[in-house]
Amino acid sequence: MNWAHKLLLIDRRIIFVVVFVGALIPIIWPIGLAVQISPPVKAVFDRVEAMKPGDAIMLSFDYGPSDGPELDPMANSILRHCAKKGIKVIGVSLFPLGGVEMAIARFMQLDTDLKARNGIDYVNLGYKDGAPAPMKAMGDRIESVFPCDANGVPYSEIPVLEGIRSYDDLELAISLATSIIGEWWINLVNAQFGIDVALGTTAVSAPKYYAFMEAKQAIGVLGGMKGGSEYEELVARAYPDLKGLSRSATMGMDVQSVVHLVIIFFILFGNVMFIVTKRMTRGAN
Amino acid sequence: MKRQVPIMLAITASFLPVIAFFFPNAWINEWFNRKLDEWMVIIASFAFLLGIVSMVQVNLHKVRRRQKGWIFSVIILVSFAIMASCGLFGAQGERENGTLYPFTWIFQFIYAPMQATMFSLLAFYVASASYRAFRVKNMEASLLLIGALIIMFGRIPFGALIHPVVPDLAEWIMRFPNAAAQRGIIIGAALGAASMSIRVMVGIERPYLGKS
Amino acid sequence: MSANSISSGVVCPGGRGSGGNTAGIVRACTMRLNLSLACAILAGALLLAGAVVSEVIAAPRDFRLDLAVQDRPSDDGSSLILSWSTDPAVLTLPTGVVLEDDPQIFIERKTEGAVDFLEAGRTTISAGRFQDIELDSRESYVYRIGLQPATGGMVYSEVSMAASPKGNLFRTQRVNALVAVLMMGGLVIAYIMAARRGAKLFIRRISGLDQIKEAVGRATEMGRKILFVPGIVSVSEPQTLAALGILGYVAKLTAQYGTQLEVPNADPLTMASAREIVKQSYMEAGAPEAFHEDMVRYITQDQFAYAGSVSGIMVRDKPAAIFLLGWFAAESLLLSETGQSIGAIQIAGTAQVTQLPFFVAACDYTMLGEELFAASAYLSKDPLILGSIKGQDAMKIAILAAIVIGVVMATVGADGFVNWFTAL
């Protein structure tokens, strides 16, 4: 085994250490790179921006804590955007493992950031199991699925829900989704009830949703930390008074950028070693 | 009889929502759609119980017999008991004085960081898998590598620093070649799923009865 | 507009809570008392003349919105759609009444013959329409819209014509889906019947499935176990069903060879099905005593806790062969990379397009998309299942043909064909 071959079969733990150091450096010394806006994120922002005060959207927290770093910033930005526009937000959760906890945390954050009022500006209806069934049932009557909110207040006594009975009374449904639930929002809710659907997904899932977006089954996609940082940037541009609030996705993009560079380096390094090994083997033969 | 009844039930239950999808009659909608959906929610909730019983049985068995790794089973059972007690007998969220209820405290400070840790491992595995997979072995692999590099640069702000067209090129790849390939696979897979569903609906395949 | 839609050209001046007359008359009247009187007289005249006005109600109106009520098409007869003009020129408010920009409106409804209006919902004036649900198809309903000015009491629009919701037999807007379902079902059944008659049906080689025997044989030789992961979702997912089909085949082989099999599950319902399948396979292979329930067990529904647990099994027990088949999400790479690190032969298969690249990078064989669904036909050679695969292929050809025709039609500007597919 020659030196190039040894380098080619580099121990994966070395790669792990370099990736770890690459992730650590921008956390200690932030770079502050500029955010480029992509059309799928702009489409979602524009759709919300075009709404009028009093319009309502459904924000479905279909993710757990593992996806929090990628999807929490999207939730924060969308909630801030709606609060500034006076758009009512109906929060639901269809993800069993922590979805409702993620919703509680984001609404608490909104209370702290913008003094939004539970029940008046937004409501958190809580969690319901068996995602496709409640999704379909909400097309007829949301109250049949969520007879009360996460705090046990009856649906009919919540001011923000006045006049909202089904998807027909909503302008948009946004699912911040991991696993299969995002696809169901497209295949079940958009296809059967016609309501506009937008998705916030992890970076890994984002490519899949481009196909749905191009087919006009989703109005836009926020993909991973980059999507979150773009929405943060758009909200900050439109509402300069929000600039002081935390922008964790924008900060996270520094880490993502450096780790991407590390991976690109290893891919190129691996290929150089691969070619050298091949040539050496050919030469030896 | 032991087999025929479940098969008949499965066939009926699978066809009723299809009927409700096309025929909007109030009675059909109530019984073939809403009621079935409600039952589905209830059954899905009971399925958790099934899983819990299996999990407790297997781990208790392991502890009793002091099988290899039994200590991990003890940790599972104790963690399960604590979390279940907090969830069943305690409230969630914040107390009046601003402190968190035990369930929410465990969720925020133990469960959430562990989850994020597991997910972040992906970055490390992606790095090692990419290192092995992206080799310029032939023309197709070289094209794949070039596409991957454009996407990786285009998804970070450095891409625009290299050349302003890089992010647009990455977006173009995502919107067209990527979406086209995704559609091809999605259409094929959807037809496969439909065909599989028809086989289950008409009882040709019966995995719910242990017959594959 | 459907046949049972009703235009509200006829409106009524008169007392609040009742009314119905023509818009022209309404415009001509200025004093409420006189309006009521005029309305009542005209109503009586119309009724006597047998005019097709279902209800005439005397009610004052403070402004006009051109209310129209129509039955919601393709529904179960429980909803009506109320629409109004959003043209500012139509909205004529009483003198002195000032409204904020795009104000909230109160939709009020009552059944024909009832005295009081009840609130049916709220929306904004720019919405232009309101869908009223949970109505009784035996009743007739009339509507009016209330507005709350900044000062003073509520002001009301004219009262709409009465309308009854009507149930429809078929959701006409889903006719394209019905055609697709019938085509798919018809093709599958036709090919199944052809297979029954003995037609030779060819299915191409799927290398991932060909390697199953080799993988089980390798594990047997090495004296190590086989790990089978049937995805992380429930049996309602077709990919899980396809994975369970392959599990039956693998379990039969392990029963025959006496190899240890472990099936950790992330879903309790999948676990129950998987346990039955493995049990059945061991019985069919003549080794029921080799089966024990702990072989198929539930771990957790949490994807990363599951991935952690299964990775732990991989690292501790070092299985010789790992099957990763079914629906996977982000845990796919965690599992397959761990499997790769212990040197196991890995056979993966999923229709999750976002996870396929990870499996291709880390596994020895990967079944892509529909290959997974074809597995049971490939392994069993059952003509019925083979027939369904052929039917699926025929449907794919039909879809390809539709795509090509659609591209041509859209290019030449004939959008009717394309729109038919999106008219849901």
Side-chain angles (χ1 to χ4, degrees), chain C residues 30 53 88 97 102-104 108 167 170 223 230 236 238 261 263 350 354 396 402:
Chain C
T30 49
V53 177
V97 174
D102 195 21
Q104 187 182 44
E108 295 190 350
F170 181 73
S236 55
L261 172 69
V263 188
T350 185
T354 48
K396 194 190 259 186

Side-chain angles (χ1 to χ4, degrees), chain A residues 108-123:
Chain A
M108 275 164 64
Q109 181 76 47
L110 183 69
D111 291 353
T112 313
D113 290 345
L114 295 173
K115 304 281 173 286
R117 296 156 301 170
N118 184 13
I120 295 165
D121 302 313
Y122 69 86
V123 64

Side-chain angles (χ1 to χ4, degrees), chain A residues 59-191:
Chain A
L59 185 60
S60 191
F61 292 80
D62 304 325
Y63 66 99
S66 56
D67 312 300
E70 281 191 283
L71 303 185
D72 277 348
M74 297 179 194
N76 285 338
S77 308
I78 292 166
L79 287 173
R80 287 169 192 169
H81 191 190
C82 291
K84 289 301 280 184
K85 290 275 308 173
I87 294 163
K88 299 179 200 169
V89 178
I90 293 130
V92 296
S93 175
L94 305 172
F95 185 73
L97 298 155
V100 72
E101 293 287 339
M102 307 312 282
I104 290 170
R106 289 314 100 214
F107 284 119
M108 275 164 64
Q109 181 76 47
L110 183 69
D111 291 353
T112 313
D113 290 345
L114 295 173
K115 304 281 173 286
R117 296 156 301 170
N118 184 13
I120 295 165
D121 302 313
Y122 69 86
V123 64
N124 178 16
L125 292 178
Y127 164 72
K128 189 62 81 175
D129 196 26
M135 277 176 180
K136 278 165 65 191
M138 283 194 289
D140 281 336
R141 207 158 148 256
I142 299 169
E143 192 179 355
S144 69
V145 180
F146 294 101
C148 55
D149 74 359
N151 300 319
V153 181
Y155 190 97
S156 56
E157 293 174 17
I158 301 167
V160 74
L161 293 172
E162 266 179 11
I164 293 168
R165 289 168 305 170
S166 67
Y167 295 133
D168 286 339
D169 303 308
L170 303 172
E171 288 291 318
L172 177 69
I174 304 177
S175 170
L176 303 177
T178 181
S179 81
I180 197 169
I181 300 179
E183 283 180 53
W184 286 335
W185 276 101
I186 291 170
N187 296 333
L188 286 177
V189 179
N190 172 265

